[in-house]
Amino acid sequence: MNITEENKKAWNRLVEKGDRWTQPVSPEEIMRARKGDFSILLTPTIPVPPTWFPPLKDAKVLCLASGGGQQGPILSAAGAEVTVFDNSPLQLKQDELVAKREDLKIRTIEGDMKDLSIFANESFDFIFHPCSNGFVEAIRPVWKEAFRVLKRQGTLISGFSNPIIYIFDPELEKQNIHQLKYSLPYSDLTSLGAGEREKYFKDEPLSFGHTLEDQISGQLDAGFHLIGLYEDDWGGKQTFDKFFKSFLATRALKP
């Protein structure tokens, strides 16, 4: 199975359905961002701390696997020179829509987040990478490529899932019963039994529950220094929000 192509189709479908992560920002949000007043999410509910952003005026920013007309336009309105790189052409069209509507300069490029060969070494000052690496089978290449294209003293901020969310029985979850079923690392391709994906996750992007070792040590092994971390959840919308945090966000420096 071609994971990249399957997930491209799946995210295109989500755009057509109006999924939360495909809805462009409003003119009011762009207006505030032009004045330096903005809020952006790496994870579902907690805004990125303002101190995690570098000076954005004329900064070269890569929004990595971050299409959808949300983060890229905000960063562009705040003064950055933005490139949005995403696997879904319809997600990129959302960024193009906002750019045209608000007279913003945003470059959009379709591609696989594991392969940034289109960019030269040290092309960007800042990389914004929201919760999207759960849609690729291997994430260490993502960290290595991000390190390569980032300038020295540049920062990478990333959001990703706590892999524990992948280990529960999907059928019992519907009854708010959380029973362990799958081991980590999790993969829609290898962890599910016959017919389970069709039953539970039909039409959704293929997902992968990467270990925290690959998520965090993967960044360190690529050469980054970890300089910030916080946790997040679904804001009480999931029953397991009472017990653990479902997401992490990290800030990493290229020394």
Side-chain angles (χ1 to χ4, degrees):
M1 180 180 292
N2 187 320
I3 297 167
T4 302
E5 287 301 314
E6 288 298 315
N7 280 354
K8 177 185 299 185
K9 295 174 186 176
W11 274 104
N12 285 344
R13 288 193 296 269
L14 289 177
V15 174
E16 292 168 346
K17 291 178 180 179
D19 181 83
R20 171 189 177 183
W21 303 111
T22 73
Q23 298 175 13
V25 292
S26 68
E28 292 74 20
E29 290 173 280
I30 294 296
M31 184 183 301
R32 290 195 298 271
R34 292 187 193 277
K35 299 176 182 178
D37 177 18
F38 63 87
S39 177
I40 301 182
L41 297 173
L42 272 172
T43 53
T45 66
I46 297 178
V48 178
T51 55
W52 279 28
F53 294 98
L56 291 173
K57 179 63 176 175
D58 298 325
K60 290 180 171 56
V61 174
L62 174 64
C63 290
L64 179 58
S66 182
Q70 298 180 358
Q71 301 95 2
I74 292 290
L75 293 168
S76 177
E81 183 181 319
V82 173
T83 298
V84 180
F85 188 88
D86 198 275
N87 182 40
S88 163
L90 293 192
Q91 279 284 71
L92 292 173
K93 284 187 180 299
Q94 302 298 72
D95 293 277
E96 293 164 3
L97 181 155
V98 181
K100 183 177 181 180
R101 187 189 75 200
E102 304 293 341
D103 193 25
L104 298 170
K105 292 183 179 179
I106 298 175
R107 179 170 60 154
T108 59
I109 299 176
E110 181 182 333
D112 183 343
M113 71 181 86
K114 302 188 306 297
D115 179 8
L116 304 181
S117 56
I118 191 173
F119 304 120
N121 294 349
E122 301 188 9
S123 293
F124 299 98
D125 301 296
F126 178 60
I127 298 177
F128 186 96
H129 181 45
C131 288
S132 51
N133 68 29
F135 304 116
V136 292
E137 191 170 17
I139 58 170
R140 285 182 179 258
V142 178
W143 304 132
K144 290 178 180 177
E145 279 288 84
F147 187 85
R148 181 184 65 79
V149 302
L150 191 64
K151 296 179 183 179
R152 295 191 179 279
Q153 301 305 308
T155 52
L156 159 73
I157 64 172
S158 309
F160 49 87
S161 301
N162 184 335
I164 196 173
I165 67 174
Y166 293 95
I167 67 178
F168 301 112
D169 185 314
E171 188 67 39
L172 293 177
E173 270 195 80
K174 297 176 183 177
Q175 307 169 45
N176 293 328
I177 298 172
H178 296 90
Q179 180 170 304
L180 304 184
K181 182 173 184 178
Y182 306 114
S183 60
L184 296 174
Y186 169 87
S187 165
D188 272 359
L189 296 179
T190 59
S191 299
L192 299 178
E196 284 189 308
R197 175 167 168 77
E198 186 74 11
K199 181 179 181 180
Y200 301 130
F201 309 117
K202 183 180 179 180
D203 292 330
E204 295 183 18
L206 292 163
S207 294
F208 304 89
H210 304 296
T211 64
L212 290 178
E213 182 175 351
D214 279 347
Q215 292 284 15
I216 296 176
S217 290
Q219 294 184 58
L220 299 175
D221 292 344
F224 286 106
H225 290 181
L226 195 64
I227 58 174
L229 183 148
Y230 63 88
E231 295 179 299
D232 196 4
D233 57 27
W234 288 106
K237 295 180 180 179
Q238 296 286 347
T239 55
F240 48 62
D241 284 350
K242 297 183 294 185
F243 303 103
F244 63 87
K245 298 294 186 181
S246 307
F247 300 92
L248 295 92
T250 56
R251 182 186 183 205
L253 171 73
K254 179 174 179 176

